[in-house]
């Protein structure tokens, strides 16, 4: 055999071996990919990735869709709750829930059928349930994501910005049962407060989606006392606690380490690691009509003793120091704080104030304003309608 012919055979043999090695490598990659997909499926990670991809697709599609224009008819004459939702908003009525984009496009409507409906909104989703009912639904902007039925009646539920849900139900053995479910409704954490610890009435997730604050009410010496507990879903122990007199109205995390609790007599900032109070604003003797928190700022609206007297608006920084105050002419029935201003809902108008308490402008509304939402643009909700809230020109209304 010639040397040239022998070299040609060696080359072909090397090529055959190379192709076989590539085929074995491809088969190995396919086997590993299939095994990975099976592992992801059985650990729940696959469904979480698929859901995240779907929500991202929804965000892109909604952002690229042309807006319907303002104002929009909502079909909800009596609004029970109004919450921002990923650049848009969601409205809860006696029979329906409606979701709209930031451009005013109606994304979906749900007939819930609950006698005492409640919603809690996170980033791109919200939970929907009925007080004392057994069913909880996690809803996206375009479809229903999950449904779960509990063995005990639901007392309250709270949605985090990361998609987790904390659910408080009644219990036969304890004051209540609190469970935390992840973004695919997999069980993550459970806590059973005793009668001494109290019944949870407020829950708030920290921004890291791993810690939460729970305010529990308990009768103490003939009056109501709040026991505040800081929980971590990575720990079996309560990480910190505090007590306060009065009833908790709102809980807001100012950061992953600081919690603002608004009670009926005080507003208190706590260190989440120790439960110690770091700042307090007391309004003993005044009637708190409404409160709103945005970022690091808090707006409190105090109701007057007489219906025709002006209300007092106070804006606080994260140290509970007064940034600004204003006297708001009657009637003043609600307040919404944003990072740049505070908006007071009046009988047929919305009045804007700077964080320093200065009057900026007042926009008339055709009917009584029910809510103001920061949904990319400011939206004012009235009975059956939503419109953009803007500083009016002379002779024009919002």
């Amino acid at each position: 055999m010639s040397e040239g012919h022998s070299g040609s055979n060696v080359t072909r043999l090397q090529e055959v071996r190379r192709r076989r090695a590539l085929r074995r490598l491809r088969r190995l990659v396919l086997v590993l990919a299939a095994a990975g997909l099976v592992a992801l499926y059985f650990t729940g990670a696959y469904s979480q990735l698929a859901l995240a991809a779907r929500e991202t697709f929804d965000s892109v599609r909604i952002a690229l869709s042309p807006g319907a224009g303002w104002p929009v008819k909502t079909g909800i004459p009596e609004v029970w709750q109004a919450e921002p939702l990923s650049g848009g908003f969601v409205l809860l009525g006696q029979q329906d829930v409606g979701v709209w984009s930031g451009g005013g496009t109606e994304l979906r409507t749900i007939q819930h059928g609950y006698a005492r409906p409640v919603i809690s909104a996170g980033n791109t989703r919200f939970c929907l349930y009925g007080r004392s009912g057994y069913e909880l639904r996690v809803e996206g902007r375009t479809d229903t994501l999950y449904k779960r039925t509990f063995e005990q009646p639901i007392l309250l539920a709270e949605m985090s910005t990361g998609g987790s849900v904390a659910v408080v139900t009644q219990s036969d053995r304890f004051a209540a049962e609190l469970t935390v479910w992840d973004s695919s409704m997999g069980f993550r954490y459970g806590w059973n407060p005793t009668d001494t610890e109290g019944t949870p009435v407020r829950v708030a997730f920290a921004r890291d989606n791993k810690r939460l604050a729970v305010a529990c009410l308990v009768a103490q010496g003939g009056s109501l006392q709040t026991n505040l507990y800081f929980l971590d879903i990575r720990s079996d122990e309560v990480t910190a606690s505090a007590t306060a007199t009065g009833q908790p109205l709102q809980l807001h995390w100012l950061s992953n380490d600081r919690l603002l609790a608004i009670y009926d007599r005080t507003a208190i900032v706590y260190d989440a690691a120790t439960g110690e109070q770091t700042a307090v604003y007391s309004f003993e003797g005044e009637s708190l009509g409404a409160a709103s928190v945005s970022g690091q700022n808090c707006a409190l609206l105090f109701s007057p003793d007489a219906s025709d007297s002006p209300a007092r608006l106070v804006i606080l920084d994260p140290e509970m120091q007064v940034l600004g105050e204003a006297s708001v002419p009657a009637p003043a029935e609600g307040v919404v704080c944003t990072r740049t201003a505070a908006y007071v809902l009046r009988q047929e108008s919305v009045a804007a104030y700077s964080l320093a308490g200065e009057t900026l402008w007042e926009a008339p509304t055709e009917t009584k304003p029910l809510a103001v939402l920061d949904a990319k643009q400011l939206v004012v909700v009235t009975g059956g309608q939503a419109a953009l809230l803007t500083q009016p020109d002379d002779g024009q209304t919002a």
Side-chain angles (χ1 to χ4, degrees):
M1 183 180 293
S2 68
E3 183 178 348
H5 186 69
S6 175
S8 177
N9 288 337
V10 170
T11 302
R12 284 199 296 270
L13 182 59
Q14 289 175 341
E15 180 66 20
V16 169
R17 288 174 177 173
R18 187 184 69 82
R19 291 178 180 178
R20 287 176 179 174
L22 286 175
R23 284 198 296 269
R24 285 195 296 269
L25 180 60
R26 283 196 293 267
R27 284 197 295 267
L28 178 61
V29 169
L30 290 174
V31 169
L32 291 176
L37 290 174
V38 170
L40 288 173
Y41 178 82
F42 283 105
T43 59
Y46 176 80
S47 60
Q48 292 186 36
L49 290 173
L51 183 58
R54 185 170 64 179
E55 291 184 327
T56 300
F57 174 78
D58 281 346
S59 297
V60 173
R61 182 175 60 82
I62 292 169
L64 295 178
S65 299
W70 302 94
V72 296
K73 299 295 183 181
T74 65
I76 303 178
E78 185 179 0
V79 178
W80 290 14
Q81 277 185 263
E83 305 290 345
L85 188 68
S86 185
F89 59 95
V90 54
L91 302 180
L92 171 67
Q94 183 177 4
Q95 298 178 337
D96 302 313
V97 176
V99 182
W100 285 264
S101 72
T105 300
E106 182 180 313
L107 301 178
R108 61 183 304 212
T109 300
I110 307 166
Q111 291 186 330
H112 54 72
Y114 298 136
R116 301 168 62 195
V118 186
I119 58 174
S120 176
N123 182 21
T124 60
R125 57 177 71 179
F126 62 96
C127 65
L128 168 65
Y129 65 99
R131 284 193 179 95
S132 298
Y134 295 85
E135 182 186 70
L136 180 137
R137 300 165 54 163
V138 177
E139 303 287 349
R141 290 164 294 175
T142 57
D143 57 2
T144 299
L145 305 179
Y146 300 103
K147 288 184 181 181
R148 180 171 291 277
T149 301
F150 292 84
E151 295 181 357
Q152 296 284 351
I154 300 172
L155 300 178
L156 68 96
E158 183 71 18
M159 173 73 69
S160 78
T161 56
S164 297
V165 185
V167 183
V168 178
T169 61
Q170 293 182 14
S171 172
D172 293 330
R173 299 175 52 198
F174 302 94
E177 180 179 5
L178 182 147
T179 52
V180 176
W181 307 82
D182 64 20
S183 58
S184 58
M185 285 305 285
F187 178 82
R188 289 292 307 278
Y189 178 83
W191 181 56
N192 297 307
T194 64
D195 291 335
T196 302
E197 290 169 322
T199 303
V201 294
R202 294 285 184 271
V203 177
F205 277 94
R207 298 173 186 176
D208 62 9
N209 204 42
K210 298 175 183 177
R211 289 177 289 177
L212 61 159
V214 183
C216 300
L217 271 183
V218 62
Q220 189 75 24
S223 60
L224 290 177
Q225 173 183 293
T226 296
N227 292 332
L228 184 64
Y229 299 99
F230 294 91
L231 309 177
D232 192 319
I233 64 174
R234 299 162 295 186
S235 171
D236 293 332
E237 303 293 331
V238 173
T239 58
S241 62
T243 60
T245 57
Q247 300 186 45
L249 304 178
Q250 297 181 21
L251 300 178
H252 299 274
W253 288 82
L254 301 179
S255 67
N256 282 329
D257 303 313
R258 305 181 73 209
L259 177 85
L260 169 60
I262 301 175
Y263 301 95
D264 51 359
R265 302 174 187 174
T266 54
I268 303 175
V269 177
Y270 295 93
D271 183 327
T274 63
E276 295 179 356
Q277 299 181 12
T278 61
V280 179
Y281 181 80
S282 177
F283 42 89
E284 188 78 33
E286 291 190 90
S287 176
L288 182 62
S292 177
V293 177
S294 176
Q296 300 285 303
N297 300 316
C298 172
L300 305 176
L301 184 67
F302 297 101
S303 302
D305 295 331
S307 59
D308 57 348
S309 298
R312 189 168 79 98
L313 174 65
V314 177
I315 301 168
L316 306 173
D317 68 9
E319 303 303 324
M320 297 294 96
Q321 299 297 310
V322 176
L323 288 174
E325 293 187 63
S327 179
V328 182
E333 301 181 2
V335 65
V336 175
C337 185
T338 69
R339 297 179 184 273
T340 57
Y343 300 88
V344 177
L345 282 62
R346 306 190 65 229
Q347 185 62 35
E348 291 185 351
S349 65
V350 175
Y353 295 84
S354 71
L355 297 182
E358 302 167 335
T359 302
L360 299 177
W361 44 265
E362 187 165 352
T365 55
E366 295 183 0
T367 58
K368 180 180 178 179
L370 303 176
V372 170
L373 301 168
D374 190 357
K376 288 189 177 179
Q377 306 175 85
L378 285 178
V379 175
V380 57
V381 179
T382 58
Q385 182 172 286
L388 291 183
L389 177 64
T390 57
Q391 180 176 353
D393 297 329
D394 291 342
Q396 294 186 356
T397 64

